[in-house]
């Protein structure tokens, strides 16, 4: 069978298509903030959806066994991790699932540890649920962020710490943790009785022939102490369907999260989401491979161009399509930097301080767009910084 070749160069006009990304900034600003891609979803996903939508009846859905099998199969196929479909459960989104786990395994006043800079919904969910977020700050060594294990252990040793939210690949630093780093984190968590919530939503997108290692695949003990979260949304550009999964090999942990989900009536799958997830995970490995190759060349191109712009230092992206830019060399406050990018550069990025108080002077840039769009944005950054 001939492999489909996806056209990632195709520029799709997303305005008027219910896009959050394209609704925040004025029309003359290139939006490169929220983490969805500007690429069309794979053709098998589109065709499966069109076929089902033509039925004209969209009633309540039963629990989909096919969804569990497809998600388990993807873990085995892409990462070599054996998952029993019975360990998989539907959730409407990774963050909704993480919140359910936070409620299942901690009480108001307890601590949750994350690595910082951290994806803003982690701090929001701690705030909204009366938990304290403890930031284990990643330490920048040259262009790479590294884990401060001493600080990590001090934070998880606190008697009020109950959970560690591992984000790997890490948003926004772009780190893909090594086997050694994951084992060290996992052993410390076991020693201090800390449950690991592993957000692996960016797992498919790792560069330079790296392999993503599911945290729970590292040992039986880790698997028993962990809930893993996945969503095909980042890879296949289907976040609008609100369909993700969690994987829990420990039936006690699984049941505890399940109960919170049931209590919130957050059960009942989305017809489109289930179809998209199944078509993507069953038929679209080709798309994931081509996407990673395209993004890697976007990364190389962006790094090369940004490397020549004085005052802006991109971090080396090992995974994800979210580039973390150190703009402190431009000597602006965060507020001035944010305004400069929207008003003068005309490129809409995420503000650094939303990822942590230590991130003043940083920005996050989403490079999951056709090369023509990326080129236009980099031209604008170059010209505006030169004019300073
Ligand atoms: C690390 C991480 N986790 C979770 C999400 C959101 O997942 P969901 O839409 O499934 O809640 C994102 C989206 O950018 C993300 O980067």
């Amino acid at each position: 069978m001939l492999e489909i070749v996806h056209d990632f160069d195709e520029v799709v006009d997303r305005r008027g298509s219910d896009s959050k990304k394209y609704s925040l900034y004025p029309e003359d600003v290139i939006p490169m903030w929220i983490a969805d891609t500007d690429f069309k979803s794979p053709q098998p996903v589109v065709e499966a959806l069109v076929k089902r939508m033509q039925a004209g009846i969209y009633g309540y859905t039963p629990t989909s066994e096919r969804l569990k099998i497809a998600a388990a199969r993807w873990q085995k196929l892409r990462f070599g991790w054996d998952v029993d479909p019975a360990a998989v459960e539907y959730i409407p989104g990774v963050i909704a699932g993480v919140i359910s786990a936070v409620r299942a395994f901690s009480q108001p006043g307890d601590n949750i540890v994350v690595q910082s800079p951290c994806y803003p919904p982690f701090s929001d969910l701690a705030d909204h649920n009366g938990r304290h977020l403890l930031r284990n700050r990643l330490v920048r060594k040259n262009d790479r962020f590294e884990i401060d294990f001493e600080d990590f252990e001090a934070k998880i040793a606190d008697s009020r710490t109950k959970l560690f939210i591992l984000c790997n690949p890490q948003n926004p630093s772009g780190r893909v943790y090594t086997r050694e780093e994951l084992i060290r984190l996992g052993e410390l968590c076991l020693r201090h009785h800390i449950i690991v919530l592993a957000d692996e939503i960016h797992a498919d997108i790792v560069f330079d022939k790296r392999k993503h290692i599911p945290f729970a695949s590292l040992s039986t003990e880790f698997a028993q102490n962990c809930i893993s979260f996945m969503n095909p949304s980042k890879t296949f550009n289907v976040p609008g369907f609100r369909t993700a999964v969690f994987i829990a090999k420990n039936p006690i942990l699984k049941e505890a999260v399940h109960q919170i989900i049931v209590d919130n009536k957050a059960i009942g799958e989305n017809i489109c989401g289930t179809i998209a997830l199944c078509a993507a995970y069953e038929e679209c490995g080709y798309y994931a491979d081509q996407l990673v190759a395209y993004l890697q060349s976007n990364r190389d191109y962006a790094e090369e161009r940004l490397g020549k712009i004085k005052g802006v230092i991109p971090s080396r992206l090992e995974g994800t399509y979210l580039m973390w830019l150190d703009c402190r060399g431009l000597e602006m406050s965060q507020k001035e930097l944010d305004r400069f990018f929207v008003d003068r550069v005309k490129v809409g990025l995420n503000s650094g301080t939303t990822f942590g108080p230590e991130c003043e002077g940083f920005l996050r840039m989403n490079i999951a767009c056709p090369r023509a769009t990326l080129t236009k944005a980099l031209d604008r950054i170059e010209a505006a910084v030169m004019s300073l």
Side-chain angles (χ1 to χ4, degrees):
M1 202 174 80
L2 274 182
E3 187 177 82
I4 305 168
V5 177
H6 191 88
D7 182 8
F8 291 99
D9 280 325
E10 184 186 1
V11 177
V12 183
D13 182 4
R14 296 185 60 193
R15 294 193 192 272
S17 69
D18 308 310
S19 163
K20 189 167 177 180
K21 191 187 217 171
Y22 281 79
S23 64
L24 183 68
Y25 294 112
E27 233 176 87
D28 59 345
V29 173
I30 303 171
M32 302 177 84
W33 60 290
I34 198 169
D36 63 22
T37 79
D38 286 339
F39 308 126
K40 280 187 180 163
S41 290
Q43 197 53 28
V45 169
V46 176
E47 282 167 16
L49 284 162
V50 168
K51 191 166 160 220
R52 174 65 182 84
M53 289 303 99
Q54 277 166 347
I57 288 198
Y58 316 113
Y60 289 117
T61 53
T63 299
S64 167
E65 284 309 310
R66 187 179 158 204
L67 173 137
K68 297 179 186 189
I69 294 166
R73 178 183 173 273
W74 188 255
Q75 290 296 324
K76 176 70 180 166
L77 198 71
R78 307 292 295 191
F79 315 119
W81 184 29
D82 279 309
V83 174
D84 180 345
V88 179
E89 185 164 326
Y90 159 82
I91 40 175
V94 165
I95 295 305
V98 170
I99 292 170
S100 300
V102 163
R103 292 189 183 157
F105 305 124
S106 68
Q107 298 298 320
D110 285 343
N111 301 328
I112 301 170
V113 173
V114 292
Q115 262 118 19
S116 188
C118 94
Y119 175 57
F122 295 151
S123 44
D124 295 344
L125 71 87
D127 285 351
H128 297 163
N129 290 281
R131 273 60 165 181
H132 300 297
L133 194 79
L134 301 186
R135 291 173 182 271
N136 169 228
R137 287 190 187 179
L138 292 170
V139 182
R140 189 150 163 177
K141 295 207 175 127
N142 301 318
D143 59 356
R144 193 164 189 249
F145 283 87
E146 300 202 354
I147 300 168
D148 178 345
F149 284 99
E150 243 172 71
D151 178 72
F152 180 76
E153 183 162 17
K155 289 192 161 61
I156 62 167
D158 185 309
S159 63
R160 294 294 321 244
T161 303
K162 297 292 182 302
L163 295 165
F164 165 45
I165 304 178
L166 167 71
C167 179
N168 183 45
Q170 212 264 355
N171 171 8
S173 72
R175 273 304 315 280
V176 174
Y177 295 132
T178 61
R179 178 178 297 272
E180 290 70 32
E181 285 172 311
L182 292 170
I183 289 175
R184 211 165 151 190
L185 289 170
E187 283 175 350
L188 287 170
C189 287
L190 282 179
R191 189 178 312 151
H192 294 280
H193 308 290
I194 302 297
I195 294 174
V196 179
L197 307 181
D199 176 344
E200 299 182 349
I201 196 168
H202 295 281
D204 297 324
I205 302 164
V206 299
F207 303 128
D208 311 312
K209 299 203 162 50
R210 279 187 180 76
K211 284 257 173 268
H212 165 77
I213 304 169
F215 172 80
S217 72
L218 283 163
S219 75
T220 310
E221 290 77 17
F222 287 8
Q224 288 300 308
N225 190 43
C226 174
I227 311 266
S228 309
F229 298 88
M230 276 300 288
N231 192 332
S233 56
K234 301 292 157 203
T235 311
F236 302 103
N237 205 18
V238 290
F241 290 137
R242 313 307 301 146
T243 297
V245 295
F246 77 85
I247 301 171
K249 291 206 173 188
N250 181 331
I252 297 170
L253 298 191
K254 180 163 186 277
E255 180 54 29
V257 178
H258 173 75
Q259 201 48 55
I260 302 281
I261 291 169
V262 171
D263 290 348
N264 284 299
K265 209 64 177 102
I267 45 171
E269 286 143 41
N270 175 307
I271 295 173
C272 295
T274 302
I275 289 170
L277 181 147
C278 293
Y281 283 161
E282 288 167 3
E283 298 175 57
C284 301
Y286 80 91
Y287 181 99
D289 293 340
Q290 293 171 25
L291 173 78
V292 170
Y294 194 88
L295 290 174
Q296 185 171 312
S297 83
N298 266 6
R299 176 204 64 172
D300 292 345
Y301 176 65
E303 276 184 7
E304 192 209 322
R305 296 271 320 257
L306 289 164
K308 293 183 186 141
I309 301 176
K310 215 168 154 249
V312 179
I313 307 171
S315 66
R316 184 104 253 253
L317 263 197
E318 297 177 346
T320 84
Y321 48 71
L322 305 164
M323 196 170 258
W324 189 231
L325 306 180
D326 180 351
C327 302
R328 288 174 298 180
L330 298 179
E331 294 181 350
M332 295 183 198
S333 69
Q334 187 73 52
K335 222 171 169 182
E336 289 166 340
L337 190 62
D338 295 344
R339 283 262 60 89
F340 172 70
F341 266 79
V342 175
D343 297 342
R344 299 263 306 274
V345 183
K346 301 225 173 275
V347 173
L349 306 182
N350 288 88
S351 182
T353 44
T354 57
F355 296 85
E358 76 276 24
C359 305
E360 176 97 18
F362 284 78
L363 293 167
R364 194 191 72 175
M365 181 165 84
N366 176 346
I367 59 162
C369 58
R371 178 63 70 85
T373 311
L374 181 62
T375 303
K376 209 194 271 183
L378 291 167
D379 288 347
R380 288 184 184 186
I381 297 172
E382 195 176 74
V385 171
M386 294 246 295
S387 74
L388 281 173

